[in-house]
């Protein structure tokens, strides 16, 4: 499309005239329609089958992706409505296998920060852990990232908490070591494994102590990861 600067209208390829706000509304409607199509499909998906990559069974991902990418590419983050923000977060959460949409969002720090503020108060665990991972990649300033990750590490969802701990290690947070000790004390197998890797990441003097404790733990994967770290 090309803008007619004198009239303030936008011309489509067919020559039809639309106001700028009409075009924005069309983009918004497309995302809403496609997100609602997914919701309707998901409502028919058996709860007992919702594990692993179940969202990948959806046939209309191409249309949903296009609607998502059109909105984030064409609309300024400051103009996003609450409904649009919720739809974006919902779709990111559903794209938890490929993780392509969060990568697109992460390329725009302003958009990422805006969505992050809303993710932190949402119930979308599969969005939260993806944001945690990218916070660990330096998408935002360290102290902004750290503040968000310290909230995410307290999340009731174990995987969200675990990914937040990993990210805190990657940004070299001063809180990482103490949180590793807490993760270890939880006795949760995967929390203990992550604690070992984060202690290694931050070059903690406590690492050898916890590697020895890992051997005493005795669980196969805890021991296996401890040996891998020790031999790295």
């Amino acid at each position: 499309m090309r803008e007619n600067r004198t009239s303030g209208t936008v011309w489509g390829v067919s020559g039809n005239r639309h106001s700028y706000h009409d075009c924005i509304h069309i983009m918004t409607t497309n995302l809403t329609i496609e997100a609602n199509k997914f919701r309707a499909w998901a409502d028919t998906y058996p709860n007992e089958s919702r594990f692993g990559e179940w969202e990948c069974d959806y046939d209309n991902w191409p249309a949903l992706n296009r609607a998502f990418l059109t909105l984030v590419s064409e609309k300024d983050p400051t103009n996003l409505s609450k409904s649009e923000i919720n739809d974006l977060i919902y779709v990111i959460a559903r794209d938890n296998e490929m993780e392509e949409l969060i990568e697109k969002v992460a390329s725009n720090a302003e958009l990422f920060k805006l969505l992050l503020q809303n993710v932190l108060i949402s119930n979308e665990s599969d969005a939260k852990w993806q944001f945690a991972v990218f916070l660990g990649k330096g998408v935002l300033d360290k102290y902004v990232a750290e503040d968000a990750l310290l909230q995410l590490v307290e999340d009731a969802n174990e995987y969200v908490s675990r990914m937040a701990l990993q990210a805190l290690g990657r940004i070299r947070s001063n809180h990482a070591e103490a949180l590793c000790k807490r993760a270890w004390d939880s006795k949760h197998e995967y929390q203990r494994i992550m604690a070992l890797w984060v202690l290694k990441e931050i070059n903690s003097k406590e690492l050898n102590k916890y590697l020895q404790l890992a051997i005493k733990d005795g669980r196969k994967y805890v021991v296996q990861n401890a040996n891998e770290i020790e031999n790295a």
Side-chain angles (χ1 to χ4, degrees):
M1 294 186 295
R2 59 185 175 84
E3 185 179 355
N4 181 331
R5 297 185 184 278
T6 59
S7 66
T9 60
V10 177
W11 291 80
V13 293
S14 64
N16 293 327
R17 298 171 70 242
H18 302 286
S19 73
Y20 177 76
H21 293 293
D22 286 342
C23 291
I24 293 298
H25 177 70
I26 289 169
M27 289 188 291
T28 300
T29 302
N30 283 344
L31 180 63
T32 301
I33 289 172
E34 294 302 330
N36 285 340
K37 285 179 182 178
F38 188 101
R39 290 183 176 101
W41 171 82
D43 285 342
T44 69
Y45 206 94
N47 287 330
E48 62 272 17
S49 300
R50 294 191 184 197
F51 58 86
E53 305 169 6
W54 71 272
E55 292 103 333
C56 293
D57 290 341
Y58 184 58
D59 289 334
N60 291 323
W61 267 110
L64 183 55
N65 282 345
R66 282 194 300 271
F68 183 101
L69 295 174
T70 297
L71 182 60
V72 300
S73 297
E74 301 294 336
K75 192 165 186 180
D76 189 290
T78 59
N79 292 328
L80 289 170
S81 69
K82 184 63 176 177
S83 175
E84 289 169 331
I85 289 170
N86 289 339
D87 283 339
L88 289 171
I89 291 171
Y90 176 81
V91 177
I92 289 169
R94 305 291 74 76
D95 182 41
N96 59 74
E97 184 62 31
M98 301 301 293
E99 301 172 48
E100 294 177 342
L101 300 181
I102 185 64
E103 186 170 1
K104 174 65 175 179
V105 168
S107 68
N108 182 333
E110 183 181 12
L111 175 61
F112 186 93
K113 188 174 182 179
L114 173 68
L115 294 184
L116 173 63
Q117 293 168 354
N118 289 272
V119 165
L120 291 173
I121 58 175
S122 79
N123 294 320
E124 291 288 2
S125 296
D126 281 330
K128 288 181 177 181
W129 70 256
Q130 291 183 70
F131 274 82
V133 168
F134 274 85
L135 286 169
K137 295 180 179 182
V139 173
L140 299 180
D141 174 83
K142 175 181 177 179
Y143 296 104
V144 174
E146 184 178 61
D147 181 68
L149 289 168
L150 289 174
Q151 295 178 63
L152 290 170
V153 80
E154 301 293 340
D155 198 87
N157 182 282
E158 188 277 325
Y159 193 67
V160 172
S161 175
R162 193 186 339 151
M163 292 300 100
L165 178 57
Q166 179 187 63
L168 285 164
R170 288 181 172 170
I171 66 170
R172 301 296 194 276
S173 168
N174 290 334
H175 299 275
E177 186 173 81
L179 289 167
C180 284
K181 293 178 180 179
R182 189 183 72 173
W184 184 269
D185 290 341
S186 75
K187 300 183 180 180
H188 189 287
E189 182 176 11
Y190 295 139
Q191 287 282 321
R192 285 192 165 188
I193 290 169
M194 184 59 75
L196 294 175
W197 284 104
V198 173
L199 289 171
K200 179 180 185 300
E201 178 85 36
I202 63 176
N203 297 314
S204 171
K205 294 179 180 179
E206 297 288 307
L207 177 60
N208 287 335
K209 167 187 171 182
Y210 283 94
L211 288 175
Q212 293 174 21
L213 289 173
I215 301 302
K216 293 180 180 179
D217 177 288
R219 283 175 284 188
K220 177 181 177 180
Y221 294 113
V222 176
V223 173
Q224 181 176 304
N225 279 268
N227 287 334
E228 185 177 344
I229 291 170
E230 196 162 28
N231 295 325

